[in-house]
Structures are given as structure tokens and as C-alpha cells.
Amino acid sequence: MELRLAGVTDTRVLSALETIPREAFVSEPFLDLAYDNRALPIACGQTISQPLVVGLMTQALELTGRDKVLEIGTGSGYQAAILSRVARRVYTVERHRPLLDQAEARFRRLGLTNIVTRHGDGMKGWPAQAPFSRILVTAGAREIPETLSDQLDDGGIMVLPVGDPDQQWVTRVRRNGHRLSTERLIAVRFVPLLGGVPRDETDDGLR
């Protein structure tokens, strides 16, 4: 009810939020806070976003159920799990190998079979699988990354936080031919979108 009152009105998104157990994606010390509407810390200095932000960003994608979605920043896997309930297939890229391993195990336990994962540099997207009808970025970019917008299909939508670390806006980007149009949706604070992978990790492609 709190999410409905705050603007999450898409019934399919609400159903996904109700059926995907958030406690399965939260670190053990924070299990008692799993259903609070707040962001929580996870490994590698990252966070699991608050349910309201997950709901609003998913809703902003205007998913049809037939979409091929690229997610940048798998993190705990929670956002990808929500997407898997309202999209045909989800391709998700994570730069931190430990996070990706944990997320993959959660997907297996929950029987989420339409999620494809990759360990690598999210700033590069996933060119081999492009174009995507929808792209969701779960880290804050100072500007819209051209490498990602180039992988957006004509008529497609990308949703991502844009701005400085102290002032970010969830921004919806629509592609119409070679033109991009943007609109600001809500103010947020996300961890920064970074290129590359940590020095002790390598990109071994599909898993």
C-alpha cells in the first residue's frame, strides 16, 4: 500500500514486488530490515535499493512483457529478479565477481531462468546482445553514457540516475531514430557508475 500511495501503480510491477522475497537478497545482519522501505548495504561497498525506487524505476521502463532488457549493475540481484517477472529476458552485467556469484545463486534458488548474467565492465554494455528494447542502470552516471544509448533499440527506453553524486535524478531516455529525448523523474542517490572491473577480477564473459 505504501508503494501504491507513493506512485507505483503498474499492477505487474506491484505483483513482482509482492512475489519476489526481498529477504533473499539482503545480507544476514539486515534481515530484520528486509521489508523496510530503505536502501541497505551489501558486499563490495554497494547497496540494495529501497523497494520504492526499484518499483518506480521498473515502472518507468514501461515494460510490455515482451522486452529484452539490459541491466547494468546486478548488485544483490534484486532488481534483476523484479525485472524477470515483467520482461521476456533480462541480461545483467556486474563488475564485482563476488556479487555476481551470490546473485546467480539466488536466481537458481528462486527458479528465475530468464536472467542471463555477465561479469564485466557495465559501461561497455553488452554489444553482442544489442540492441535492447529497455536498459536499466542501477548506478549514478554524470551524463548519459553513449556506449549504452547506442545499444538501445529504436523506440526503446533507458532509465538511469544522472547527475553529480550529491544531486542525481532518475532520468528516462527515449530513442527515436538517431534522436534521444530525456525527462527527469525523481531525485535519488546511487553509488557511482564506474568503468572497468576491480584489479583482482577479470571479465570471462558469459556464465
Side-chain angles (χ1 to χ4, degrees):
M1 183 60 68
E2 181 181 352
L3 299 185
R4 289 186 180 94
L5 293 173
V8 183
T9 57
D10 187 310
T11 56
R12 294 173 307 131
V13 174
L14 287 167
S15 176
L17 289 165
E18 290 169 354
T19 57
I20 294 294
R22 192 170 186 247
E23 73 270 13
F25 299 87
V26 172
S27 301
E28 187 172 350
F30 303 100
L31 284 176
D32 59 332
L33 303 175
Y35 287 96
D36 286 5
N37 187 28
R38 58 187 290 185
L40 296 170
I42 58 174
C44 302
Q46 306 300 297
T47 59
I48 177 173
S49 295
Q50 67 188 97
L52 175 60
V53 171
V54 171
L56 290 173
M57 290 182 70
T58 304
Q59 180 173 273
L61 288 170
E62 299 178 5
L63 294 160
T64 66
R66 302 183 301 276
D67 297 291
K68 178 182 179 182
V69 181
L70 172 65
E71 180 197 34
I72 303 301
T74 314
S76 69
Y78 180 63
Q79 175 70 81
I82 297 297
L83 289 170
S84 75
R85 294 297 194 189
V86 287
R88 178 175 60 85
R89 189 165 294 276
V90 179
Y91 295 81
T92 182
V93 182
E94 173 56 54
R95 67 191 297 268
H96 293 287
R97 168 64 74 187
L99 287 181
L100 189 63
D101 289 344
Q102 293 169 15
E104 289 173 337
R106 290 165 179 147
F107 299 153
R108 288 192 294 270
R109 285 198 298 269
L110 294 173
L112 304 177
T113 59
N114 62 335
I115 302 175
V116 186
T117 62
R118 184 172 186 265
H119 174 232
D121 183 352
M123 288 285 284
K124 296 179 180 178
W126 201 326
Q129 292 293 342
F132 300 91
S133 59
R134 301 290 188 269
I135 298 176
L136 182 69
V137 183
T138 63
R142 290 188 177 271
E143 57 188 23
I144 297 169
E146 187 174 350
T147 52
L148 297 181
S149 62
D150 284 349
Q151 294 178 37
L152 191 61
D153 204 357
D154 188 18
I157 296 172
M158 176 164 62
V159 173
L160 74 164
V162 179
D164 297 326
D166 59 345
Q167 187 176 29
Q168 299 172 347
W169 290 85
V170 169
T171 302
R172 179 160 49 199
V173 181
R174 299 180 188 270
R175 172 174 289 283
N176 184 7
H178 295 294
R179 295 183 58 189
L180 298 177
S181 61
T182 64
E183 58 180 313
R184 286 180 172 180
L185 301 179
I186 57 171
V188 290
R189 180 170 293 181
F190 274 77
V191 296
L193 178 64
L194 302 175
V197 295
R199 192 173 297 177
D200 60 343
E201 298 175 18
T202 56
D203 183 355
D204 64 356
L206 292 174
R207 280 175 56 81

